[in-house]
């Protein structure tokens, strides 16, 4: 199940939040960690019905989580490593 996040900006007057504006909705993939922006209409629909489907043509990729796996043997590699600990290939 994907995670839906809503972000907005606030107008603050003397440390008192007055109103919110610029509402944006994001959805993140639990498997790969990629983050996508979705339209306001789809975001509102997901707030009311978490099981609603999202059309893949209506989402826009913003960020992708960096994978930490060796491209040669597929072993998990610690972040910042220059060589694979299993096969020794240069990363």
């Amino acid at each position: 199940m994907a995670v839906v996040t809503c972000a907005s900006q606030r107008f603050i007057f003397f440390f008192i939040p007055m109103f919110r504006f610029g509402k944006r909705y994001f959805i993140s993939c639990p498997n790969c960690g990629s983050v996508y922006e979705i339209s306001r209409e789809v975001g509102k629909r997901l707030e009311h019905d978490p099981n609603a489907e999202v059309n893949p043509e209506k989402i826009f990729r913003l960020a992708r989580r960096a994978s930490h796996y060796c491209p040669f043997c597929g072993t998990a590699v610690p972040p910042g490593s220059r060589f694979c600990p299993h096969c020794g290939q240069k990363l």
Side-chain angles (χ1 to χ4, degrees), residues 31-51:
N31 296 329
C32 69
S34 296
V35 178
Y36 300 89
E37 184 170 2
I38 56 178
S39 68
R40 183 178 291 175
E41 295 80 23
V42 174
K44 287 181 181 180
R45 187 179 57 182
L46 287 172
E47 280 183 335
H48 298 294
D49 182 17
N51 296 326

Side-chain angles (χ1 to χ4, degrees), residues 7-57:
S8 63
Q9 297 176 348
R10 295 179 186 183
F11 177 75
I12 300 174
F13 186 70
F14 290 110
F15 305 105
I16 300 171
M18 302 298 280
F19 58 89
R20 294 169 42 179
F21 64 95
K23 207 172 200 183
R24 295 171 65 188
Y25 290 91
F26 304 95
I27 191 167
S28 61
C29 176
N31 296 329
C32 69
S34 296
V35 178
Y36 300 89
E37 184 170 2
I38 56 178
S39 68
R40 183 178 291 175
E41 295 80 23
V42 174
K44 287 181 181 180
R45 187 179 57 182
L46 287 172
E47 280 183 335
H48 298 294
D49 182 17
N51 296 326
E53 291 189 19
V54 178
N55 184 358
E57 296 175 358

Side-chain angles (χ1 to χ4, degrees), residues 37-85:
E37 184 170 2
I38 56 178
S39 68
R40 183 178 291 175
E41 295 80 23
V42 174
K44 287 181 181 180
R45 187 179 57 182
L46 287 172
E47 280 183 335
H48 298 294
D49 182 17
N51 296 326
E53 291 189 19
V54 178
N55 184 358
E57 296 175 358
K58 303 276 182 166
I59 61 175
F60 307 98
R61 180 181 294 180
L62 297 177
R64 172 182 264 179
R65 183 175 69 185
S67 61
H68 298 290
Y69 295 95
C70 175
F72 300 100
C73 67
T75 304
V77 178
S81 296
R82 295 177 55 191
F83 296 93
C84 174

